[in-house]
Amino acid sequence: MDNRPIGVLDSGLGGLTVLKKVIAKLPGESTVFIGDQANMPYGDRSKEEIIELTRSSVKFLLSKNVKTIIFGCNTATAAAMPTIQNEVDLQIIGVIQSGALDAAKKTKTKKVAVIGTTATTLSHAYRDEIHSRDSDIQVQEFAQPALAPLAEEDPDEDTKLKIVSQSLRPLKNGDFDTLVLGCTHYPLLLNEIQACISPDKCILDPADQVAQYTYNVLKRDNMLAEGPAKHEYYTTGNARKFTEIARQWMNDPELIAKHVQD
Ligand code: DGL
């Protein structure tokens, strides 16, 4: 048994979509979340910048005595995970490995599309991870630089639908059966994405597999907690705005986020 919390990081609100599934799968676990909203979007930054920013969130989570860290951010997983895993003793869990595993299992036509940030797309991390499981799978990667900032801003429905449908136009009539949401902000736009993608496609959120994998790892290492669970939220951005959106998404009217210096 290990009652230390699980740390989860992201550039912003997107990591909450991972956190929510982790809490649902592991209700006895305490968590500490950090969203680096002051520096988002990570997806438009260089690899070196993403490593530096991610390292600083990792340092913050280590100061909270976490037992493991989930990179609830595809961009940080692609750019920074190999470097930072070498610098810390605890296990880091990324989202891309889980998303790739799930996509390779689910595709029947062996044609997968991945939408993500520019940095994730250019890294080809999804293509490489999927190919390490099955090199016959065709992987098409589409950069969607407008979508993570859109999810953060959370404007009215019409604006969201308009921007999502413009962004996803290149995927219209695309030859794939599985679409991977390769950015943790995208589940916040799931309704709009579903409205723009033909209903016969499977839309895959890697967070489901991340939650399962986290459970497997903690169980294997005898590190599951027994509760009572406590959840802490931090942002380098505007704590009031974060609290408002996070309360809705996490269905927790008591949730209060605190500001930390970036
Ligand atoms: N949520 C992050 C991801 O999964 C990225 C958003 C950003 O560009 O900061 O890639």
Side-chain angles (χ1 to χ4, degrees):
M1 190 180 77
D2 187 339
N3 274 336
R4 288 177 299 164
I6 297 172
V8 180
L9 64 81
D10 183 35
S11 62
L13 294 164
L16 294 176
T17 68
V18 178
L19 181 68
K20 190 173 179 174
K21 293 198 168 169
V22 169
I23 291 175
K25 179 80 196 166
L26 292 145
E29 299 293 329
S30 294
T31 62
V32 181
F33 180 87
I34 170 89
D36 186 15
Q37 290 180 297
N39 296 300
M40 97 73 66
Y42 280 11
D44 299 338
R45 293 179 178 274
S46 69
K47 184 172 171 159
E48 291 67 31
E49 284 177 309
I50 299 165
I51 292 174
E52 211 38 58
L53 293 168
T54 306
R55 188 180 277 132
S56 148
S57 290
V58 166
K59 219 168 134 194
F60 174 77
L61 291 172
L62 291 175
S63 79
K64 296 283 170 190
N65 195 29
V66 296
K67 60 183 169 188
T68 186
I69 295 179
I70 300 174
F71 280 13
C73 176
N74 292 265
T75 310
T77 302
M81 190 166 141
T83 306
I84 294 181
Q85 182 63 88
N86 279 330
E87 299 172 354
V88 296
D89 283 338
L90 48 71
Q91 172 155 8
I92 294 176
I93 296 172
V95 275
I96 295 182
Q97 298 74 10
S98 288
L101 173 70
D102 215 7
K105 275 202 247 165
K106 294 226 164 91
T107 179
K108 298 211 164 46
T109 61
K110 291 193 185 272
K111 287 178 181 163
V112 172
V114 183
I115 50 174
T117 65
T118 303
T120 300
T121 306
L122 290 177
S123 76
H124 297 298
Y126 268 101
R127 182 198 63 192
D128 296 347
E129 282 289 340
I130 292 172
H131 282 170
S132 74
R133 285 163 177 91
D134 183 345
S135 56
D136 291 338
I137 297 176
Q138 267 182 39
V139 183
Q140 301 174 66
E141 296 161 296
F142 298 89
Q144 302 290 332
L147 296 192
L150 180 70
E152 289 276 325
E153 282 157 28
D154 193 29
D156 61 85
E157 287 307 315
D158 286 352
T159 310
K160 281 199 266 190
L161 191 57
K162 194 170 146 219
I163 296 175
V164 170
S165 98
Q166 274 166 3
S167 296
L168 296 186
R169 205 165 286 151
L171 284 88
K172 208 135 196 133
N173 310 316
D175 185 15
F176 59 90
D177 70 345
T178 303
L179 173 67
V180 180
L181 304 181
C183 169
T184 55
H185 280 74
Y186 301 168
L188 296 164
L189 299 167
L190 185 61
N191 291 342
E192 292 78 12
I193 293 172
Q194 275 169 336
C196 299
I197 294 289
S198 120
D200 60 326
K201 316 267 190 221
C202 160
I203 298 179
L204 190 154
D205 178 0
D208 293 303
Q209 185 63 32
V210 172
Q212 179 64 50
Y213 182 68
T214 305
Y215 172 82
N216 295 348
V217 166
L218 293 180
K219 191 168 163 54
R220 182 197 66 198
D221 297 342
N222 279 323
M223 285 173 76
L224 286 168
E226 282 177 0
K230 193 175 126 220
H231 306 292
E232 293 178 28
Y233 297 84
Y234 298 90
T235 174
T236 57
N238 181 324
R240 192 189 47 75
K241 204 169 162 215
F242 181 100
T243 299
E244 213 174 279
I245 299 183
R247 279 184 178 181
Q248 284 173 38
W249 182 256
M250 303 302 289
N251 294 324
D252 180 359
E254 313 275 283
L255 185 158
I256 293 178
K258 295 192 185 125
H259 173 80
V260 280
Q261 213 55 44
D262 66 315

